[in-house]
Amino acid sequence: MPTKRTLLLAAPAALLLTACGFRLRGVPEFSFDVLLIAAAPSSTLARELQRTLEGSGTKLTVLRDLADLPKAQVGLELLSEQRERVVVGQNASGQVRELQLRLRVKFRVRGANGSELIPETELLQQRDISYNETIALAKEAEEALLYRNMQTDIVQQLLRRLAVVKR
């Protein structure tokens, strides 16, 4: 059971937190009701973005078929999605010891009338990973997990950027 002294010390801290503007990030609110995601059918990023938008609890309708373009108020075009694997460290005998994984996504957002709401933009996520050829299968699984995490980070960035779009 907290003492009076503990409560007296905790009260000012609680007031300071509310006064500084701290607030948990909530569900994004969009200024449009229908969004078309134009991407390759095999794009895992587009599928995750669609699932995230549909599961966010907003009234947003997400379309993926380009035939539905006239129904969309805003269109998100995923222009490219590129995975890179770069060697950044080697040992004395030339064996790879460290890699850098990169995920680059280029996109743009257009309004229903074709106006550019967000010009072509590139998002980049990168992670460093050690490498050892004796445990190559484990490193391959770790690599896949890191790519999934980078993809999720990029989806969150896209959500925040879509939330500020004014049509």
Side-chain angles (χ1 to χ4, degrees), residues 13 27 30 49-50 60 95-96 101 109 113 117:
V27 176
F30 303 104
L49 179 61
Q50 181 178 3
L60 184 67
Q95 294 175 321
V96 175
L101 306 177
V109 178
N113 58 359
L117 302 174

Side-chain angles (χ1 to χ4, degrees), residues 41-54:
S42 61
S43 172
T44 58
L45 186 108
R47 280 196 303 271
E48 184 175 345
L49 179 61
Q50 181 178 3
R51 271 195 315 269
T52 303
L53 286 168
E54 289 172 345

Side-chain angles (χ1 to χ4, degrees), residues 28 30-34 53 56-62:
F30 303 104
S31 65
F32 47 88
D33 297 324
V34 183
L53 286 168
S56 68
T58 62
K59 58 185 167 126
L60 184 67
T61 304
V62 181

